[in-house]
Amino acid sequence: VGDITKINSEILFPILEQGYIPVISSIGSSIEGVSHNINADFVAGEIAAAINAEKLILMTDTPGILIDKNDQKSLQKQINLKEAREFIHDDIVSNGMKPKTECCIRAIAQGVKAAHIIDGRIEHALLLEIFTNSGVGTMINA
């Protein structure tokens, strides 16, 4: 597994300017040309930061950040960076949600305005999160 040191956004801008949505693999290469698997959440977050995205949206199979992982009603609809960091430190966010939350923190710290973790199992989850006041997942912002 590798860590991201640089995103070459110069490749992405012409594609985006032509109206295409690129599909990007989470495989990177070292200076020596060795391929490395990279956590896809981290790749998405770094790309969002590199292209100055307004939002980063991660779809998963959980409702978002839960204070009690066994209680869907404990969903945190909106938190800030400080709370997100505290949730990781206090082990409220753990397992698969930890890298998702970490990549959101990193993306926001690099200029992305908001990051959302939403449940892709919900019909129209993306539309509900973006175009309603209540949303369906967790929004993290500065």
Side-chain angles (χ1 to χ4, degrees):
V1 176
D3 292 320
I4 301 168
T5 57
K6 181 183 178 200
I7 297 289
N8 185 353
S9 59
E10 293 175 17
I11 295 171
L12 295 174
F13 285 121
I15 295 168
L16 295 170
E17 287 168 0
Q18 290 185 11
Y20 293 102
I21 298 172
V23 176
I24 302 168
S25 172
S26 60
I27 303 295
S29 64
S30 66
I31 293 171
E32 297 81 22
V34 176
S35 295
H36 295 278
N37 180 32
I38 303 170
N39 180 296
D41 296 323
F42 287 117
V43 172
E46 292 298 316
I47 290 171
I51 65 169
N52 300 310
E54 181 81 17
K55 293 181 180 282
L56 167 66
I57 301 169
L58 302 177
M59 293 185 96
T60 186
D61 62 353
T62 61
I65 295 177
L66 303 172
I67 294 295
D68 176 353
K69 63 182 173 190
N70 298 314
D71 181 5
Q72 304 269 333
K73 293 179 183 169
S74 70
L75 174 67
Q76 300 300 289
K77 293 282 197 173
Q78 186 171 351
I79 63 173
N80 60 38
L81 285 178
K82 182 178 183 235
E83 292 167 315
R85 289 181 180 114
E86 288 171 357
F87 288 170
I88 290 172
H89 179 267
D90 297 341
D91 250 1
I92 292 169
V93 170
S94 60
N95 300 324
M97 287 300 288
K98 187 175 179 183
K100 287 178 182 3
T101 305
E102 288 172 339
C103 93
C104 291
I105 291 168
R106 188 165 162 86
I108 292 168
Q110 295 180 77
V112 175
K113 303 267 186 302
H116 303 256
I117 302 173
I118 63 174
D119 190 340
R121 301 171 297 178
I122 296 173
E123 188 172 349
H124 307 299
L126 183 59
L127 296 174
L128 292 168
E129 182 68 16
I130 301 303
F131 295 116
T132 65
N133 289 331
S134 59
V136 294
T138 300
M139 179 173 78
I140 304 170
N141 54 28

